[in-house]
Amino acid sequence: MKISTNTKKHTIAALIAMSVITLVGLFSFLIAPKASAATYYIESFEQLKAALSEEDNDKILILTQDIEVSETVVLTGNVAVSSSVDAKIARAESCLSHLFKVESGANVVFAQNGEQVLTIDGQRIVANGSAFNIAASAKVTFGKGIEIVNFDAETVSGSVVFSSGELIVDGAKIHDNKLSSTVEKYGVIHNYQGSTFRFKSGEFYNNETLSTGILFMNDNTVFEMTGGKIYKNSTTANGTIYIKNSDVTFTGGEIYENSAARGGGIYVNGAAEVSMAGVKISKNTVADYGAGVYIGNEGAKITIDGAEIFENVSAKSGAGVFIDKGQVVMVSGKVSDNSNESGNGAGFINKDRLTIKGGEIKNNTAVSKGGAIYSYDTAELTIEGGTISGNSAGSNGGAVNAVDTILKVSGGTFSANTTDEFGGAIYANDLNISGET
């Protein structure tokens, strides 16, 4: 077939018959899918620029071979991008600004329908712009068959994505990217104020930052994780997922084997509201506190209702959940098999407000005090239900150690908790017990 920059109008059925690529799924992402659209076959950067300069509002771009991008590509209107073969869009050394700039009102989809892989490659060039800069009111979807790799930046937040609009990851793999900045630049993916980020499926792994947050949710971001995997990422600062003053919902997915200073899985800061139902947070490690989850601001409200937080390891205290400031309510789920290399409270550290209404806290191991929960520093700890079992501590409080804490116990089951010293179930200097326990 002759490859051309000329606009070709085809029905989707005709495209399928031509065996170029199945595009029904691609166009289903767009706001107003049509039976025909301007279709362009791309074999060079010059052809890409020519296609995007055409006036058609709805475009299908099909790469037929690798291309190298030497300047910022501006995307407007409804655009679906795929390839007919395994292909690559690569950053050229001359392109140090944003690779793609998605304008307000645009709806852009990168996705495959076959087995082909379209790779967007930063080639480890340390740039001054993101791979994707998404404007407010714009929408970008990374679907199946898309891989985004090898991007790095040092003077901007978001080496892969800086978004003020809506970002959806639904099947893509985003891996081996880096943010080299160490000062006030945050995230391989940075969701700016008022943006939306939906992680539905796909993989985010082996990404690295030298500053706070690998996935950074800035003020008033809406973040939803319903599936997919976030794993083996690392930061020398705080938070694989860093949440600041934002509303966040986890109903599925896995967050595992990440590493940070604090908040190996999740770091919550500011007046954030976080709901954890169905997500699995496991095997994360930290050099300091809170390998699974770290909560660091008094305005934060976290509900654990079905989440599983397990096998996380802290070098110091609070391997499962560390509450420095903020409120946590556990309704259901599991906090289990977490451990500290030193310090207290392998399941929970509580320095503010923790309420246990249900769920299981079991088999957590603290080197020092409070195998399941260590509560102190004028904190409030309320236990109304749930099962706390099989936890162990080297010092006082096999299950719970509560000092300088308002401790109220009105329900729940304690069993098979052990300590080398005092208080297999509870060690406290002030205890209020009512009801059946």
Side-chain angles (χ1 to χ4, degrees), residues 22-67:
T22 304
L23 292 167
V24 175
L26 270 180
F27 245 104
S28 69
F29 284 108
L30 298 178
I31 293 173
K34 298 179 179 180
S36 64
T39 302
Y40 301 87
Y41 308 98
I42 307 298
E43 64 179 7
S44 69
F45 181 52
E46 292 304 317
Q47 289 184 350
L48 176 62
K49 289 195 295 182
L52 292 173
S53 68
E54 296 291 338
E55 295 181 357
D56 308 278
N57 190 61
D58 301 302
K59 295 182 175 71
I60 298 172
L61 308 179
I62 303 172
L63 272 72
T64 61
Q65 63 181 36
D66 297 350
I67 66 170

Side-chain angles (χ1 to χ4, degrees), residues 218-245:
N218 211 333
D219 296 336
N220 299 314
T221 293
V222 174
F223 175 51
E224 300 171 356
M225 184 175 183
T226 56
K229 299 178 180 181
I230 298 172
Y231 62 98
K232 293 185 178 179
N233 303 285
S234 64
T235 176
T236 55
N238 297 329
T240 295
I241 301 175
Y242 190 96
I243 301 165
K244 179 186 176 187
N245 297 322

Side-chain angles (χ1 to χ4, degrees), residues 331-350:
V331 178
S332 67
K334 295 180 181 179
V335 177
S336 65
D337 300 286
N338 301 288
S339 60
N340 301 331
E341 294 175 355
S342 64
N344 308 312
F348 289 88
I349 286 285
N350 177 37

Side-chain angles (χ1 to χ4, degrees), residues 31-297:
I31 293 173
K34 298 179 179 180
S36 64
T39 302
Y40 301 87
Y41 308 98
I42 307 298
E43 64 179 7
S44 69
F45 181 52
E46 292 304 317
Q47 289 184 350
L48 176 62
K49 289 195 295 182
L52 292 173
S53 68
E54 296 291 338
E55 295 181 357
D56 308 278
N57 190 61
D58 301 302
K59 295 182 175 71
I60 298 172
L61 308 179
I62 303 172
L63 272 72
T64 61
Q65 63 181 36
D66 297 350
I67 66 170
E68 192 170 70
V69 175
S70 56
E71 61 187 61
T72 298
V73 176
V74 178
L75 298 175
T76 61
N78 296 327
V79 182
V81 183
S82 65
S83 66
S84 59
V85 296
D86 289 346
K88 181 184 293 185
I89 301 173
R91 182 193 286 278
E93 290 186 2
S94 60
C95 182
L96 296 180
S97 187
H98 306 308
L99 193 69
F100 291 95
K101 191 171 187 296
V102 184
E103 298 283 37
S104 181
N107 187 7
V108 178
V109 178
F110 287 78
Q112 302 281 56
N113 281 298
E115 297 301 317
Q116 302 89 354
V117 175
L118 176 58
T119 301
I120 304 168
D121 191 346
Q123 302 200 109
R124 302 194 180 280
I125 296 167
V126 180
N128 300 319
S130 306
F132 292 85
N133 182 276
I134 305 171
S137 301
K139 179 180 179 180
V140 174
T141 300
F142 298 131
K144 177 185 175 183
I146 302 302
E147 296 198 22
I148 304 174
V149 302
N150 298 329
F151 283 91
D152 195 357
E154 62 181 359
T155 60
V156 295
S157 294
S159 55
V160 170
V161 175
F162 184 92
S163 176
S164 298
E166 181 176 357
L167 172 64
I168 297 174
V169 175
D170 194 4
K173 296 180 180 180
I174 302 172
H175 60 92
D176 294 286
N177 301 285
K178 185 177 181 180
L179 183 70
S180 291
S181 175
T182 59
V183 181
E184 295 184 352
K185 304 298 177 186
Y186 309 116
V188 167
I189 294 180
H190 185 109
N191 297 277
Y192 193 57
Q193 299 171 0
S195 64
T196 298
F197 180 21
R198 295 185 172 91
F199 197 106
K200 295 183 176 182
S201 66
E203 300 177 44
F204 182 88
Y205 61 95
N206 287 347
N207 300 288
E208 177 186 0
T209 69
L210 303 179
S211 58
T212 297
I214 303 172
L215 292 172
F216 194 97
M217 314 301 156
N218 211 333
D219 296 336
N220 299 314
T221 293
V222 174
F223 175 51
E224 300 171 356
M225 184 175 183
T226 56
K229 299 178 180 181
I230 298 172
Y231 62 98
K232 293 185 178 179
N233 303 285
S234 64
T235 176
T236 55
N238 297 329
T240 295
I241 301 175
Y242 190 96
I243 301 165
K244 179 186 176 187
N245 297 322
S246 296
D247 293 338
V248 174
T249 303
F250 297 93
T251 57
E254 300 176 57
I255 303 166
Y256 62 94
E257 295 181 9
N258 303 286
S259 64
R262 297 182 180 183
I266 300 169
Y267 190 107
V268 183
N269 196 11
E273 293 198 13
V274 181
S275 173
M276 298 181 183
V279 67
K280 295 181 179 180
I281 303 169
S282 67
K283 298 180 181 179
N284 301 288
T285 59
V286 289
D288 204 345
Y289 307 115
V293 182
Y294 185 97
I295 300 114
N297 192 282

